[in-house]
Each structure stands twice: as structure tokens, then as C-alpha cells.
Amino acid sequence: MRGRWAPGRAWRTIAAAPFAIYLVGPVHQVLSEPYPTWLGAVVVLDAVLYAACWLTMLVLGPAAGHRARLVGSGTLLVLGLLLGVLLGPRFLLYLTFTVSVALMVLPRLISIPMTVGSVLVLLVSTAIVDGRPDVESALVLGAVAAATFGISALIWTNADLRAARDEIAELAVAQERARLSRDLHDVMGHSLTTIKLKAGLARRMLEDGVDPQRPVAELRAIEELAGNSLAEVRATVSGYRKPSLAAELVNAGAALRAAGIEAELPRSIDEVDPVVREAFAYVLREGVTNVIRHSGASRCRVALTRSSIEVADNGNGRPTGPGAGNGLLGLTERMAAVRGSLDVESVPGQGFRLRAAR
């Protein structure tokens, strides 16, 4: 049984409260007929406690906890049965208050047998005392139970739908955060690495007193790269960024040359499956960035087929297990989105290989 109460319980309790007026029936019966005074007092007290307990259980609902719900429902059952004992079996009709709460707050394995048992007790006791079963009252009790069962099922279904909607919203937020983190890592990691290399190259040129036009050209390239990176960041935040594999090949060649690394790049992407081009663009960007940052390599080779891309270097190799970086984790997620896989191979002193395939 759920340990929470569906939203809106306050107004439902207020809407149900007027039905407690029906408990005036036993009080009117005992006060208008020549019953003993003590019996009248007991019936009045029983009716008041019955109404109070019923309203309390409506307010608390499943939020009261399993034990409290059992005790509350048991108390209602005793108070309802007591009316039948004191005034006669036809007053067992007032067990409707008990079953209405039981079907809302108790597990079905308890509430349904309690409801069926209440109907049977009403039929059997009226048959014994009055000579015939009170079928009309039993039908009323059964109808109230069926209506309550349907209403409670609808309430819980709506509550589950609201909970599912909230969970979906939370998952969407988490997914968007992961996307932003992954995309910003890919964008800023490569761009800042290239800017750093070009800035260092321009600085060395100025220090060595070479032709001023050469460092100026590098500074212009830095300016252009910074502008492109800013545009990419804006597109990433807005969710409209779509990397181009062809553009990434051009950028990879420029970045590798700025780092003094010999680049072996494919001349065309025509044979690459369009479905995987975007994912391969990310793989290429991350792979080349890692070569420049970590490998200490003098040569980098990029190979493309219709369904695979491979970035390999002749550097020092680097860790491939847990903690190797967020970039590889992001690439794994991107390849999984196109039903592909990511493989890494690193041999200390012999280089690092990154391969993605679908």
C-alpha cells in the first residue's frame, strides 16, 4: 500500500464530511424510542466517536502509517459493529463508513475481505434475528464499497500519473544538464587547447623576432577561433549545435599542425554513413584534443570508413580505465545513442588508439 496520500485530500475530506450526518439516524432512533437511558448515552457516544474516527482517517489517509491505518480501521469496525449489537442487525448498514475508509487506506488483501465480511455479517445476522436477510441494506453496502473502490483506484491512478510526470520532468532536467556538460566539455576543451597552442606559437614568434606578419596571422586565427567557440557555446546552450565532421577534420589538421604533430587525415567524408557523422565529429574532436594534450606524440593518424572512425597516435599512451576523463564517458554515451560502441587501446610508450564503430 502506498505510504502517501494523493494531492487534494483536504477538499475531498471536506466534500465527504456532510455524509457523517447519516450517523444521526442511530441517535434519533435511540432518543425517539423508549430505550434505557444508559443505552441512549452509549449509542450517542458511539455515533460521535464513529464520525470523529471516520473523518480523522479521511484526513490522515495512508500518510498515517501502516499501524495507525490498521488501528483506525479496526476501531471503525468495532464502532460500526457495536451499533448493530446495541440497536439490531439492520443498523450494520452503517458499516458503510468502515468499508469506505478501509478500501482507501488499507491493502486490498485486508480491505476486500473486510468488506465482503461486513456484507455477510449483515445478511446472516438479519436472517437470524429478523427471519430473512436484509438484501436491500446489503446491496447498499456493496454499492458504496464498489463506488469507493472505483474512486480510490482513480485517485491513486491520478496520483501515480502526477508522480510519473514529475519524475519525467526531473529526468529531463538531468538529461539536459548531462547534455550541456558533455557538449561544453567537447566545445571548450578543443577550442581552448587550440587557442593555447596558437597563443604560445605567436608568443615564441614575437620573442624570436620573426616576421611580424606571422604572429599577427596566428593572433587573427586565435581571434576567429574565439569567435567561433563563442558561437558554438551559444548554440550548445540553446540546443541547436550540430557539429560537422568535415569541419572537424579541417580544425583537427590546423590544431595538430599548431602543436607540431604530423597529421594523417582522410581527404573526404563522402563514404561515411550520415547517421553517424555527428557522433564521429565528436569522437574526432575529443581524440585529437587528447592527442595534443596528453600524448606527447609526433604523429597522429585519423582513419574513416562507412561505419567507423579511428584516431591513433605514436605517443606515450595514457590511462583508459575509470577516472581517465569525462570525455571518453561522453563519447560512449554519444555512440550508444546511434547504437554504436567505443573502444580504446593504450600501450605505454607505443601510443593510444581511439576507435568508434556502429
Side-chain angles (χ1 to χ4, degrees):
M1 187 67 184
R2 304 168 179 84
R4 55 181 173 80
W5 192 228
R9 61 180 178 177
W11 71 260
R12 281 195 298 274
T13 302
I14 294 173
F19 288 98
I21 196 68
Y22 285 105
L23 285 171
V24 173
V27 175
H28 178 269
Q29 174 73 18
V30 78
L31 294 180
S32 62
E33 299 290 337
Y35 286 96
T37 303
W38 68 268
L39 182 60
V42 172
V43 169
V44 170
L45 179 60
D46 183 270
V48 171
L49 292 176
Y50 200 15
C53 185
W54 179 67
L55 291 173
T56 300
M57 291 305 298
L58 284 181
V59 172
L60 297 179
H66 183 66
R67 180 176 297 180
R69 285 181 275 130
L70 286 175
V71 171
S73 299
T75 302
L76 285 172
L77 181 61
V78 170
L79 293 172
L81 290 174
L82 184 58
L83 287 176
V85 171
L86 295 174
L87 299 178
R90 66 188 181 88
F91 282 89
L92 291 175
L93 174 62
Y94 290 93
L95 285 173
T96 50
F97 291 93
T98 299
V99 300
S100 65
V101 165
L103 287 169
M104 285 188 177
V105 303
L106 293 181
R108 300 305 186 212
L109 290 177
I110 298 176
S111 61
I112 292 178
M114 181 184 292
T115 300
V116 174
S118 298
V119 174
L120 291 177
V121 167
L122 174 60
L123 290 172
V124 172
S125 61
T126 52
I128 293 174
V129 174
D130 299 335
R132 67 177 185 85
D134 189 348
V135 177
E136 293 81 2
S137 295
L139 288 175
V140 171
L141 183 55
V144 170
T148 303
F149 184 87
I151 292 172
S152 63
L154 181 61
I155 290 172
W156 288 124
T157 299
N158 289 337
D160 288 340
L161 288 174
R162 280 189 289 267
R165 180 189 62 193
D166 293 342
E167 184 175 356
I168 290 172
E170 292 177 1
L171 289 175
V173 170
Q175 188 176 30
E176 180 63 9
R177 287 175 178 170
R179 182 192 70 82
L180 282 174
S181 175
R182 185 175 60 238
D183 288 359
L184 287 175
H185 172 275
D186 293 341
V187 171
M188 300 308 296
H190 178 80
S191 299
L192 291 177
T193 297
T194 306
I195 288 174
K196 178 182 177 182
L197 290 171
K198 287 185 172 294
L201 179 61
R203 175 184 56 79
R204 289 192 297 272
M205 289 179 178
L206 291 172
E207 289 175 346
D208 294 342
V210 300
D211 183 2
Q213 293 302 318
R214 294 179 60 190
V216 168
E218 293 297 332
L219 290 174
R220 286 174 178 168
I222 292 173
E223 182 181 11
E224 181 180 359
L225 180 59
N228 292 337
S229 298
L230 179 60
E232 285 191 322
V233 169
R234 288 171 176 169
T236 295
V237 172
S238 65
Y240 293 110
R241 179 176 178 267
K242 298 293 182 183
S244 165
L245 181 57
E248 292 300 331
L249 279 173
V250 174
N251 293 336
L256 289 170
R257 285 192 296 272
I261 299 175
E262 180 184 349
E264 297 180 20
L265 304 175
R267 296 179 179 273
S268 171
I269 64 167
D270 293 343
E271 66 174 358
V272 180
D273 187 348
V275 174
V276 297
R277 287 183 184 180
E278 180 179 337
F280 283 4
Y282 285 113
V283 173
L284 176 60
R285 170 174 285 209
E286 179 67 18
V288 169
T289 300
N290 287 337
V291 170
I292 295 172
R293 281 181 173 177
H294 308 295
S295 70
S298 61
R299 186 175 66 257
C300 174
R301 179 179 60 85
V302 177
L304 278 173
T305 68
R306 176 174 176 78
S307 59
S308 70
I309 182 173
E310 181 176 293
V311 180
D313 64 61
N314 65 344
N316 300 320
R318 61 189 184 87
T320 61
N326 293 327
L328 295 181
L329 177 60
L331 293 182
T332 301
E333 294 173 351
R334 293 186 189 280
M335 290 306 303
V338 295
R339 299 182 180 180
S341 61
L342 187 76
D343 296 315
V344 294
E345 180 182 348
S346 179
V347 179
Q350 298 183 25
F352 183 85
R353 181 180 68 86
L354 176 67
R355 185 175 188 275
R358 181 174 186 265

